[in-house]
Amino acid sequence: MSTDAKKRKQPHELRSYRWVGPDDLRSFTHRSRLKQLGFAQQDWEGKPVIGILNTWSDLNTCQVHFRQRAEEIKRGVWQAGGFPVEIPVTSLSETFMKPSAMFYRNFLAMEAEEVIRCHPIDGAILMGGCDKTTPALIMGAISANVPAIYFPGGPMLKGNWCGTTLGSGTDVWKYWAERGAGNLDECQWRQIEDGIARSTGHCMTMGTASTMTSIAEAIGMSLSGAASIPAVHSAHTRMATSTGRRIVDMVWEDLKPADVLSLDSFHNGIVTDMAIGGSTNAIIHLIAMAGRAGIKLPLEMFDKLSQQTPVIANIRPSGEFLMEDFYDAGGLPALLNRIRKFLKPDAMTVTGKTIGQNIESAKVISDSVILPLDKPLSQAGATFILRGNLAPNGAVIKPTAAEKRLLKHTGPAIVFANFMDMKNRIDDENLNVTSDSVLVLQNGGPLGAPGMPEWGMLPIPKKLLKQGIRDMVRISDARMSGTSYGTCILHVSPETALGGPIALIRDGDIIELDVAARRLHLQVSDAELAKRRESWKPPAPKFERGYGQLFCGEITQADQGCDFKFLHAGKATAEPDIY
Ligand code: FES
């Protein structure tokens, strides 16, 4: 008997056996109710029960194909001798959920954890894709710690406008600016609206969705190659059935998230984030996911790995191509093989092999999409961490998405007290703004907004757009869409609503940015700041009850991953009693 065979679980050791195995009244009820569903004893007896957590919703455009994919996953589960059950969970539609899908990330994480724990589930498939679904499902699965595979929904097809390729988000911001500058008419704007989202699937730029699905694969939580397959490609169906087959074996092998994830896995996640020029949002999600596994990721780890890792994915917003091109160029396994020397190749994955083994035969097919190491988009600098008296606990900037001339800049602040204030005044002809101004948005943080929406890419005032200005220094405690670009300083911590220094900035204060020195400084004396702090008043609570109140009482700051305090790793939660 091989070592692997010796380790395999026996049917009576399955979690689900506690529900359906014993000869008692409660198990009788469970078995009779399975029969009510039309299943016979041989459908489930001695088989791992695989819970397919499906984030499908009519209002989640990125995951419209998930009903069909769930059936294809089930096909794989049946083939491998498992018993699949599909369970709907919250969808987290980035487009339609307000105030932001981020407000509900921890909600889905809690739901995923509890759904797995309270049901007779031996293994879980986590079906996500739209931005926050990936970290939320993985956070929940880490805390539940039953064998789990993340199944990504895949990017949508490339957009097209009269022969011009369009990328999600990135080209929305670009052409919105052109419209503001008076360079696009109503008809052209409608044509772009028609052509920018041409199929199901998540945003096909290297926005947060593609970044997070790539990271999920790099930390070992998806099958190799899963993240890059376009949603409507037949390979996506084949990946679904493969995932269904694999999870059954994982249950017998008892390969749980705690066995897969390590500091090395998260090292690989961060390096991948840097090499793909990933979304700044990934920092928050990586810290939160690692936190569930009891692993601390200091912000400086991101900065250090960012300096060492060349950006080689030539994908928008940092580069030229889109995810469909990335897949055809070899996809993530090929990119990972190219950056192999920066990875920890021995980190475990859900395949039961190491990441090094998974990627060893992957080849780059197009050097113009996955760039050679000696011809990167940027030698370093996918994401840098800034500190200074304006952000004692850190702030984030993506230099590859910024105009180089602004990476060292000093200018006077124009302060907006909140998003509506910004919206109402940004295009006011009387706003005292020049291209040297530094736009500051307050109250966009985890607590203040609430939910830290993607407001950090403040629009350029129309009067400057008309002068040809397309980038300015912008500072906020909010996030920005991974599809955006610009000199946007984000995640300023502590946030405005906690009285962080960003709350004390006033119009005309001089702000100094020096990205090379990682410095973000407010040129106001300590004595003056102390005086302003004395007169600062915290905002009134936004919620008197419900989830919002729970959120505001428990949310942590960006540098801590914005998880709820009570969900951080701790002593494992006991299995439920079955009476
Ligand atoms: Fe779902 Fe962009 S809207 S990933």
Side-chain angles (χ1 to χ4, degrees), residues 206-207 211 272-282 311 318 382-383 398 482:
M206 192 53 82
T211 301
T272 302
D273 180 27
M274 300 309 163
I276 61 180
S279 160
T280 44
N281 291 326
V311 183
S318 299
T383 313
K398 184 173 179 177

Side-chain angles (χ1 to χ4, degrees), residues 62 94-95 130-131 202-203 209:
C62 308
E94 193 64 27
T95 310
C130 197
D131 291 13
H202 59 68
C203 292

Side-chain angles (χ1 to χ4, degrees), residues 60-63 92-95 129-131 156 168 201-204 208-210 483:
N60 196 328
T61 56
C62 308
Q63 301 170 181
L92 300 192
S93 165
E94 193 64 27
T95 310
C130 197
D131 291 13
M156 69 176 96
S168 316
H202 59 68
C203 292
M204 74 327 229
T208 305
S210 304
T483 60

Side-chain angles (χ1 to χ4, degrees), residues 73-307:
I73 290 171
K74 286 179 193 172
R75 193 168 83 210
V77 173
W78 285 119
Q79 283 170 6
F83 176 55
V85 291
E86 186 180 344
I87 303 175
V89 289
T90 305
S91 187
L92 300 192
S93 165
E94 193 64 27
T95 310
F96 290 105
M97 287 184 100
K98 308 298 172 198
S100 80
M102 183 65 182
F103 186 65
Y104 292 103
R105 184 199 67 181
N106 299 345
F107 185 94
L108 174 58
M110 283 169 69
E111 187 187 11
E113 176 182 349
E114 299 305 328
V115 156
I116 293 170
R117 182 174 294 118
C118 72
H119 287 112
I121 288 176
D122 298 302
I125 303 282
L126 316 164
M127 296 182 72
C130 197
D131 291 13
K132 310 304 176 292
T133 53
T134 307
L137 289 167
I138 293 177
M139 288 159 72
I142 293 171
S143 296
N145 201 31
V146 305
I149 304 181
Y150 178 75
F151 176 73
M156 69 176 96
L157 294 176
K158 294 189 268 193
N160 187 290
W161 168 50
C162 301
T164 300
T165 299
L166 297 175
S168 316
T170 306
D171 284 310
V172 177
W173 324 126
K174 176 176 159 186
Y175 289 110
W176 179 243
E178 292 309 322
R179 194 165 181 226
N183 298 333
L184 276 180
D185 64 25
E186 175 73 22
C187 177
Q188 290 169 310
W189 185 239
R190 292 277 172 221
Q191 288 170 342
I192 291 171
E193 190 176 294
D194 289 342
I196 200 160
R198 299 200 300 166
S199 77
T200 183
H202 59 68
C203 292
M204 74 327 229
T205 39
M206 192 53 82
T208 305
S210 304
T211 301
M212 290 312 301
T213 57
S214 299
I215 287 173
E217 185 174 322
I219 63 174
M221 288 299 290
S222 296
L223 293 193
S224 189
S228 331
I229 308 172
V232 295
H233 198 298
S234 60
H236 201 260
T237 291
R238 296 193 291 276
M239 181 56 75
T241 48
S242 299
T243 303
R245 282 191 294 269
R246 174 60 196 150
I247 188 67
V248 177
D249 280 340
M250 271 180 78
V251 173
W252 294 124
E253 292 162 15
D254 200 24
L255 186 62
K256 302 185 291 296
D259 307 310
V260 170
L261 297 169
S262 61
L263 183 58
D264 282 357
S265 319
F266 287 102
H267 168 102
N268 291 340
I270 298 172
V271 167
T272 302
D273 180 27
M274 300 309 163
I276 61 180
S279 160
T280 44
N281 291 326
I283 296 181
I284 296 175
H285 300 319
L286 270 160
I287 291 171
M289 291 190 296
R292 293 298 185 98
I295 297 167
K296 279 207 178 335
L297 303 180
L299 284 178
E300 273 59 32
M301 185 173 169
F302 291 85
D303 199 285
K304 187 171 157 216
L305 292 176
S306 170
Q307 289 178 60

Side-chain angles (χ1 to χ4, degrees), residues 212-468:
M212 290 312 301
T213 57
S214 299
I215 287 173
E217 185 174 322
I219 63 174
M221 288 299 290
S222 296
L223 293 193
S224 189
S228 331
I229 308 172
V232 295
H233 198 298
S234 60
H236 201 260
T237 291
R238 296 193 291 276
M239 181 56 75
T241 48
S242 299
T243 303
R245 282 191 294 269
R246 174 60 196 150
I247 188 67
V248 177
D249 280 340
M250 271 180 78
V251 173
W252 294 124
E253 292 162 15
D254 200 24
L255 186 62
K256 302 185 291 296
D259 307 310
V260 170
L261 297 169
S262 61
L263 183 58
D264 282 357
S265 319
F266 287 102
H267 168 102
N268 291 340
I270 298 172
V271 167
T272 302
D273 180 27
M274 300 309 163
I276 61 180
S279 160
T280 44
N281 291 326
I283 296 181
I284 296 175
H285 300 319
L286 270 160
I287 291 171
M289 291 190 296
R292 293 298 185 98
I295 297 167
K296 279 207 178 335
L297 303 180
L299 284 178
E300 273 59 32
M301 185 173 169
F302 291 85
D303 199 285
K304 187 171 157 216
L305 292 176
S306 170
Q307 289 178 60
Q308 296 167 359
T309 314
V311 183
I312 63 164
N314 188 9
I315 302 175
R316 299 181 202 183
S318 299
E320 188 184 340
F321 295 97
L322 293 167
M323 288 300 287
E324 202 179 319
D325 308 304
F326 185 53
Y327 175 70
D328 291 337
L332 190 69
L335 177 137
L336 293 178
N337 208 5
R338 186 156 270 180
I339 57 163
R340 191 185 181 90
K341 68 179 177 186
F342 303 103
L343 297 174
K344 304 280 187 188
D346 295 332
M348 182 45 67
T349 74
V350 290
T351 65
K353 297 180 183 153
T354 64
I355 189 93
Q357 290 170 320
N358 286 347
I359 61 174
E360 64 192 357
S361 60
K363 293 208 169 27
V364 173
I365 294 160
S366 168
D367 276 342
S368 39
V369 180
I370 301 174
L371 302 169
L373 289 180
D374 58 354
K375 289 191 190 127
L377 269 187
S378 159
Q379 208 40 262
T383 313
F384 285 162
I385 304 301
L386 306 172
R387 290 196 192 263
N389 69 347
L390 191 39
N393 294 340
V396 167
I397 186 168
K398 184 173 179 177
T400 51
E403 284 190 12
K404 301 290 165 270
R405 66 184 172 87
L406 291 170
L407 295 178
K408 189 170 167 60
H409 179 83
T410 300
I414 293 188
V415 183
F416 301 102
N418 51 49
F419 184 81
M420 286 316 289
D421 180 34
M422 186 275 292
K423 198 172 172 194
N424 291 337
R425 292 197 294 128
I426 191 82
D427 291 327
D428 186 336
E429 284 293 324
N430 297 320
L431 189 70
N432 185 20
V433 64
T434 72
S435 59
D436 282 339
S437 302
V438 175
L439 304 179
V440 177
L441 174 67
Q442 297 173 327
N443 283 304
L447 186 62
M452 212 181 175
E454 293 179 339
W455 294 340
M457 58 291 194
L458 280 74
I460 306 295
K462 268 188 190 158
K463 71 176 179 186
L464 296 183
L465 284 174
K466 286 177 189 154
Q467 294 168 24

Side-chain angles (χ1 to χ4, degrees), residues 500-513:
I502 187 171
L504 310 178
I505 306 176
R506 293 186 183 163
D507 278 340
D509 286 351
I510 300 299
I511 294 176
E512 191 189 326
L513 168 69

